[in-house]
């Protein structure tokens, strides 16, 4: 996604460096998100609604990374396929993060238990919105081959449409996620303080999990902050590319899938499922290398995304 918009006035040597960076970082994201998809398919205990949202997030990241790696801009059809497919799945990726934030907020803050009934609406919202902004992006754009990428921006109109159809909804999602997680964390912090005062362990929550939720919006910020700055700079000074800014833009954007797979996917339930399979098939003589203590600890801790249920006990 980022690599498709930075080839402008860079030298051939610069473009080779950025191509290698994009391919390497996208490959890491593909492997990371593919691992989460594989875990969901293999481990039946993970097939709960909240982790299903993580599955679709990982699937979107995996396909976004895939098209970033294998797109062939040397031919017109593949050039268009690369540009539109990457845009579609990158948008879908950050939209799925908003459904996860919405689910946590509706469960924890509003004490609603109907989130599973909203799955069809989530799919309509994510895939429908991604399709609409991808189609709108085609207005004013002409996919052309330039150097090693599919160049999709032609003039100020194309750049403005690109910003409106990608970066505007992206930062909207970041603001929504930040506000939502702030409310969720504040709610659970208050409940924890009350539970500590009452010595009620049923309402005491894992503070490490709460703190980790606070970092989720930072993933999108870290992945796209440099890209946003680069787009703004390119709009103001279209003939002047800054290599180091472009380097950070391409690298951080391509690593989004890896960041998401670590933060959202590798939770305690996934680690526990993997550990249980290793415990079953790992040879006895190597079993001492397994982290036995983590197995006990994880069995005592519910996953923050797989089985979070906050019940209103009146």
């Amino acid at each position: 996604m980022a690599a498709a918009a930075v080839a402008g006035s860079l030298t051939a040597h610069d473009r080779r460096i950025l191509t290698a960076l994009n391919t390497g970082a996208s490959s890491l994201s593909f492997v990371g998100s593919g691992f989460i998809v594989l875990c969901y398919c293999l481990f039946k205990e993970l097939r709960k609604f909240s982790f299903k949202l993580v599955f679709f997030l990982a699937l979107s990241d995996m396909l976004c990374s895939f098209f970033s790696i294998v797109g062939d801009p040397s031919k017109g059809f593949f050039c268009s396929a690369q540009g539109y497919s990457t845009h579609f799945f990158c948008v879908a990726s950050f939209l799925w993060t908003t459904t996860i934030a919405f689910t946590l907020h509706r469960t924890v803050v509003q004490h609603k238990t109907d989130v599973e009934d909203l799955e069809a609406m989530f799919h309509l919202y994510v895939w429908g919105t991604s399709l609409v902004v991808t189609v709108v992006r085609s207005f004013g754009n002409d996919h052309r081959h330039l150097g090693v990428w599919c160049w999709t921006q032609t003039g100020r109109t194309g750049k403005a449409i690109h910003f409106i159809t990608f970066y505007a909804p992206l930062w909207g999602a970041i603001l929504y996620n930040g506000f939502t997680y702030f409310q969720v964390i504040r709610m659970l912090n208050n409940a924890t303080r009350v539970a500590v005062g009452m010595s009620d362990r049923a309402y005491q929550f894992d503070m490490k999990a709460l703190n980790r939720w606070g970092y989720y919006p930072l993933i999108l910020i870290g992945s796209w902050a440099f890209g946003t700055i680069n787009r703004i700079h390119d709009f103001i000074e279209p003939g002047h590319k800054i290599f180091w800014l472009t380097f950070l833009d391409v690298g951080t954007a391509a690593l989004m899938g890896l960041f998401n797979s670590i933060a959202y996917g590798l939770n305690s339930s996934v680690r526990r499922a993997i550990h249980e399979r290793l415990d079953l098939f790992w040879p006895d003589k190597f079993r001492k290398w397994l982290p036995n203590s983590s197995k006990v600890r994880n069995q005592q801790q519910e996953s923050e995304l797989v089985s979070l249920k906050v019940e209103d006990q009146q």
Side-chain angles (χ1 to χ4, degrees):
M1 181 65 201
V6 296
S9 61
L10 299 174
T11 66
H13 177 68
D14 291 339
R15 292 198 294 271
R16 284 195 296 269
I17 293 176
L18 295 175
T19 301
L21 174 65
N22 178 65
T23 302
S26 296
S27 298
L28 291 176
S29 290
F30 180 82
V31 172
S33 54
F35 177 76
I36 300 303
V37 171
L38 183 64
C39 287
Y40 179 84
C41 295
L42 292 179
F43 305 146
K44 292 182 179 180
E45 61 268 33
L46 296 179
R47 298 175 192 171
K48 300 179 181 180
F49 174 73
S50 47
F51 198 80
K52 184 185 292 186
L53 300 180
V54 177
F55 163 75
F56 285 113
L57 168 62
L59 182 64
S60 299
D61 283 330
M62 185 177 71
L63 292 173
C64 178
S65 300
F66 173 79
F67 284 106
S68 295
I69 296 170
V70 305
D72 181 7
S74 62
K75 298 179 181 179
F77 172 78
F78 290 104
C79 180
S80 299
Q82 180 192 28
Y84 289 128
S85 299
T86 307
H87 186 273
F88 177 88
F89 288 110
C90 282
V91 172
S93 173
F94 66 71
L95 290 182
W96 278 116
T97 67
T98 64
T99 66
I100 294 173
F102 175 85
T103 299
L104 281 171
H105 184 273
R106 191 169 181 83
T107 303
V108 175
V109 179
Q110 299 181 353
H111 302 288
K112 301 291 186 179
T113 60
D114 61 345
V115 287
E116 295 189 26
D117 299 332
L118 302 176
E119 181 179 357
M121 293 299 297
F122 287 166
H123 284 284
L124 180 62
Y125 155 68
V126 173
W127 304 123
T129 303
S130 300
L131 179 62
V132 169
V133 297
T134 301
V135 171
V136 171
R137 189 192 176 191
S138 66
F139 302 149
N141 281 289
D142 178 22
H143 287 76
R144 297 177 181 177
H145 174 243
L146 177 63
V148 292
W149 288 311
C150 184
W151 186 244
T152 62
Q153 300 177 6
T154 56
R156 287 181 174 270
T157 300
K159 294 175 183 178
I161 292 177
H162 181 202
F163 198 92
I164 293 171
T165 58
F166 186 83
Y167 289 95
L170 166 68
W171 284 97
I174 290 173
L175 292 175
Y176 174 79
N177 289 351
F179 178 74
T180 300
Y181 282 117
F182 171 77
Q183 288 191 317
V184 170
I185 292 171
R186 184 178 62 176
M187 171 73 181
L188 294 184
N189 277 331
N190 292 337
T192 299
R193 283 195 293 268
V194 173
V196 170
M198 299 173 58
S199 298
D200 187 356
R201 295 186 59 85
Y203 279 94
Q204 295 183 27
F205 303 95
D206 178 38
M207 295 308 299
K208 291 181 64 177
L210 299 188
N211 293 333
R212 188 161 58 249
W213 290 346
Y215 292 112
Y216 286 171
L218 297 180
I219 295 174
L220 288 178
I221 295 176
S223 297
W224 295 105
F226 294 110
T228 304
I229 296 171
N230 205 18
R231 295 294 86 71
I232 296 174
H233 175 268
D234 183 56
F235 187 82
I236 298 174
E237 297 187 38
H240 179 237
K241 299 290 184 181
I242 303 176
F243 176 74
W244 66 265
L245 180 59
T246 301
F247 185 91
L248 293 173
D249 172 9
V250 173
T252 54
L255 287 173
M256 180 182 66
L258 179 64
F259 296 152
N260 283 336
S261 64
I262 294 173
Y264 289 93
L266 291 180
N267 54 47
S268 60
S269 291
V270 174
R271 295 194 299 270
R272 183 171 61 249
I274 295 173
H275 188 282
E276 289 173 353
R277 299 315 188 277
L278 291 176
D279 197 40
L280 287 174
F281 300 105
W282 202 258
D284 290 339
K285 62 180 179 179
F286 297 121
R287 192 155 297 182
K288 63 181 180 179
W289 299 104
L290 291 178
N292 295 323
S293 60
S294 66
K295 179 180 179 180
V296 176
R297 183 175 65 252
N298 289 338
Q299 286 177 339
Q300 295 174 344
Q301 176 183 326
E302 289 290 337
S303 167
E304 64 271 18
L305 287 176
V306 176
S307 56
L308 174 66
K309 296 292 182 182
V310 179
E311 298 178 354
D312 189 13
Q313 300 179 359
Q314 298 291 341

